[in-house]
C-alpha cells in the first residue's frame, strides 16, 4: 500500500500555522477534508469556541472529528482519499501528559505512562499514513512562551524530531510566512 504524504507545520502562537495548514489541505484537492481537533471544552467559553470553529469549518466543507486523547479512535472513520489535518500536537500532549492531575495521579508522574501513549501515537500516525492520501500535523514551537514546563517541552521536542524525520515536508511558520525545513 502506498504511504500517504505527511506534512508537519510548527510555529508560535498566532504565527498563522493553522490557517496555513488549512489552506494547504484545501488546495491539495477535492477529496474529503477531515479536521482532527484535539482541544477540550473545560468551560462555557471553550464550548462556544469549539462549536464556532466546527461550524466555520463545516461551512467550508470540512468534517470535524473531536478527539482529545486517543487518535487511534479515528482510524475506522478514515478513507483512502481523505486529506487529514490534525490541529494540534500540543493540545494532545497536554491532555495526555497531565491526564489525572485532578486526582493527583498524573501520567507525567507514572513510570512509562507517556512512553506508552507516545508509542501508540507513533503507530497511529503511521497507520493513518497507510490509510489516507495526506496527513498534515500542526504544532506549537517547543520553546513557546505559552507553556514553560520542562517535561512538556522535552516531550514536545522529542515528538517534533520524530515528526520531522517522518515528514515529506516540514515547515516552520513565523508571522504568517512559511519556511521549509525539510
Amino acid at each position: 500500500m502506498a504511504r500517504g504524504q505527511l506534512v508537519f507545520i510548527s510555529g508560535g502562537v498566532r504565527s498563522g500555522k493553522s490557517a496555513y495548514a488549512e489552506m494547504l489541505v484545501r488546495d491539495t484537492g477535492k477529496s474529503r477534508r477531515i479536521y482532527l481537533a484535539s482541544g477540550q471544552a473545560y468551560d462555557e467559553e471553550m464550548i462556544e469556541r469549539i462549536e464556532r470553529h466546527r461550524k466555520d469549518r463545516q461551512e467550508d466543507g470540512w468534517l470535524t472529528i473531536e478527539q482529545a486523547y486517543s487518535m487511534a479512535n479515528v482510524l475506522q472513520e478514515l478513507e483512502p482519499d481523505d486529506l487529514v489535518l490534525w490541529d494540534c500536537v500540543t493540545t494532545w500532549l497536554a491532555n495526555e501528559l497531565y491526564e489525572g492531575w485532578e486526582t493527583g495521579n498524573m501520567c507525567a508522574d507514572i513510570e512509562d505512562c507517556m512512553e506508552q501513549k507516545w508509542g501508540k501515537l507513533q503507530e497511529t500516525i503511521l497507520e493513518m499514513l497507510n490509510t489516507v492520501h495526506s496527513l498534515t500535523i500542526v504544532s506549537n514551537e517547543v520553546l513557546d512562551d505559552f507553556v514553560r514546563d520542562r517535561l512538556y517541552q522535552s516531550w514536545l521536542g522529542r515528538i517534533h524530531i520524530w515528526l520531522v524525520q517522518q515528514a515529506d515536508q516540514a515547515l516552520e511558520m513565523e508571522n504568517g510566512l512559511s519556511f521549509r525545513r525539510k
Side-chain angles (χ1 to χ4, degrees), residues 43-80:
D43 56 30
E44 286 299 317
E45 178 187 355
M46 194 61 170
I47 290 170
E48 290 172 15
R49 285 181 62 200
I50 288 172
E51 188 53 41
R52 184 179 67 246
H53 288 300
R54 182 186 302 128
K55 183 179 179 217
D56 290 346
R57 286 189 298 266
Q58 184 177 11
E59 290 173 0
D60 194 31
W62 292 85
L63 170 63
T64 299
I65 300 174
E66 302 288 342
Q67 190 54 56
Y69 290 94
S70 178
M71 297 305 290
N73 291 342
V74 303
L75 288 170
Q76 68 275 5
E77 298 183 48
L78 301 178
E79 298 174 4

Side-chain angles (χ1 to χ4, degrees), residues 5-52:
Q5 180 182 22
L6 175 60
V7 177
F8 175 62
I9 302 172
S10 177
V13 173
R14 308 260 188 257
S15 65
K17 63 191 175 297
S18 295
Y20 187 76
E22 286 184 28
M23 181 204 62
L24 278 179
V25 173
R26 188 181 308 108
D27 292 348
T28 298
K30 299 287 184 192
S31 298
R32 189 171 77 145
R33 290 178 290 178
I34 307 292
Y35 192 102
L36 302 180
S38 50
Q40 287 192 80
Y42 289 110
D43 56 30
E44 286 299 317
E45 178 187 355
M46 194 61 170
I47 290 170
E48 290 172 15
R49 285 181 62 200
I50 288 172
E51 188 53 41
R52 184 179 67 246

Side-chain angles (χ1 to χ4, degrees), residues 141-160:
E141 294 174 335
V142 173
L143 297 176
D144 204 328
D145 287 338
F146 183 64
V147 179
R148 293 179 183 253
D149 181 288
R150 283 209 188 282
L151 181 62
Y152 175 90
Q153 290 174 339
S154 174
W155 269 105
L156 190 57
R158 183 175 172 184
I159 293 168
H160 281 202

Side-chain angles (χ1 to χ4, degrees), residues 85-153:
L85 169 58
W86 175 26
D87 194 1
C88 88
V89 170
T90 48
T91 52
W92 173 88
L93 177 59
N95 293 341
E96 296 287 18
L97 191 62
Y98 304 117
E99 179 184 37
W101 68 269
E102 66 280 355
T103 64
N105 199 22
M106 283 192 316
C107 177
D109 297 331
I110 300 170
E111 187 175 347
D112 293 331
C113 181
M114 271 310 295
E115 289 289 339
Q116 292 174 16
K117 290 174 184 267
W118 171 227
K120 183 63 177 170
L121 181 62
Q122 287 172 303
E123 291 172 14
T124 301
I125 289 171
L126 294 174
E127 196 168 338
M128 281 183 185
L129 290 171
N130 286 327
T131 303
V132 301
H133 181 271
S134 68
L135 172 60
T136 301
I137 298 176
V138 176
S139 186
N140 288 359
E141 294 174 335
V142 173
L143 297 176
D144 204 328
D145 287 338
F146 183 64
V147 179
R148 293 179 183 253
D149 181 288
R150 283 209 188 282
L151 181 62
Y152 175 90
Q153 290 174 339

